Amino acid sequence: VTGYRQVAPGFTDTDAFIAKINAAGSAPAFNFSLGGTAFDAGYGIAVDGRGCAYVTGETYSNEASFPETVGPDLTANGGIDAFVAKLNAAGSALVYCGYIGASNHQAGTGIAVDGGGNAYVAGFVVSVDASFPVVDGPDLTYNGDWDAFVAKVNPAGTSLVYCGFIGGSVY
């Protein structure tokens, strides 16, 4: 199966995966494992018009083992980070993969992509520090326990066009 990344020694936990089934529905066209040496999970997937897959989820893995490349953030932020990744249409390589996070716990739970290749990530944030990468709203202030977040990733995956909180003061 093309694109499948073999699990290396020391990879002892769960990885996210992307799979494409052939047009007949009879076999995988590719499988791609995404993760590092700690727990990694994919919670949302979208596909663009060219067949590239966009994935979001959460990772406990730091940059020593997680396959971050290009961005939007290449450094683990402590705790559990959300991640966003784009896989090429052949399922053989990451176009980009990076973190969206701060200390404590963040997870991307949904993702969409527009015709221009911008990825839209939604998820949740449990982080009281000021290091969450807020950029141009919708709300730049953390409101309390378990805020939602929404972020727009540029087509190259190098930066966040916007990223902000949605929430109130009560869980």
Side-chain angles (χ1 to χ4, degrees), residues 102-169:
S103 67
N104 293 337
H105 188 181
Q106 295 75 217
T109 57
I111 192 165
V113 61
D114 67 19
N118 296 289
Y120 300 85
V121 178
F124 66 83
V125 177
V126 183
S127 187
V128 295
D129 70 19
S131 66
F132 190 77
V134 291
V135 179
D136 292 334
D139 186 349
L140 303 180
T141 304
Y142 184 68
N143 298 290
D145 293 336
W146 295 81
D147 275 6
F149 79 87
V150 61
K152 179 179 180 181
V153 181
N154 72 353
T158 56
S159 66
L160 299 172
V161 177
Y162 61 75
C163 182
F165 302 108
I166 302 170
S169 61

Side-chain angles (χ1 to χ4, degrees), residues 37 79 171:
T37 57
Y171 174 65

